């Protein structure tokens, strides 16, 4: 269990969304946090892939320059 302080405007928006979806605020916030963490994890994987490709290209180019 955690307590989270939210700005009034965000709290109200969450309350309205939960009511619209007929779920509790706890369910809404848990779902939103899960979605955000999943998106961040996916973005981090993409960044790691991009950098690993870039590093590989740089190493190949550097090797070509010194040989």
């Amino acid at each position: 269990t955690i307590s989270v302080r939210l700005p009034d405007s965000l709290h109200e928006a969450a309350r309205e969304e939960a009511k619209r979806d007929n779920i509790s605020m706890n369910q809404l916030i848990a779902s939103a946090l899960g979605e955000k963490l999943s998106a961040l994890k996916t973005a981090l994987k993409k960044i790691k892939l991009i950098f690993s490709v870039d590093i590989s290209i740089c190493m190949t180019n550097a090797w070509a320059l010194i040989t």
Side-chain angles (χ1 to χ4, degrees):
T1 302
I2 63 169
S3 296
V4 179
R5 295 179 195 271
L6 300 173
D8 290 341
S9 59
L10 185 56
H11 186 250
E12 182 59 30
R15 183 185 359 243
E16 289 172 5
E17 186 65 28
K19 185 176 181 180
R20 200 172 13 258
D21 290 349
N22 199 30
I23 59 174
S24 69
M25 282 191 46
N26 188 65
Q27 288 173 303
L28 176 75
I29 292 168
S31 176
L33 180 58
E35 288 176 20
K36 181 64 174 184
L37 293 175
S38 178
L40 289 171
K41 186 176 180 180
T42 298
L44 183 57
K45 284 182 182 179
K46 288 179 181 179
I47 289 168
K48 286 180 179 179
L49 177 63
I50 290 167
F51 279 109
S52 68
V53 169
D54 285 350
I55 289 169
S56 176
I57 291 169
C58 288
M59 291 175 67
T60 301
N61 290 340
W63 182 252
L65 290 172
I66 61 172
T67 57

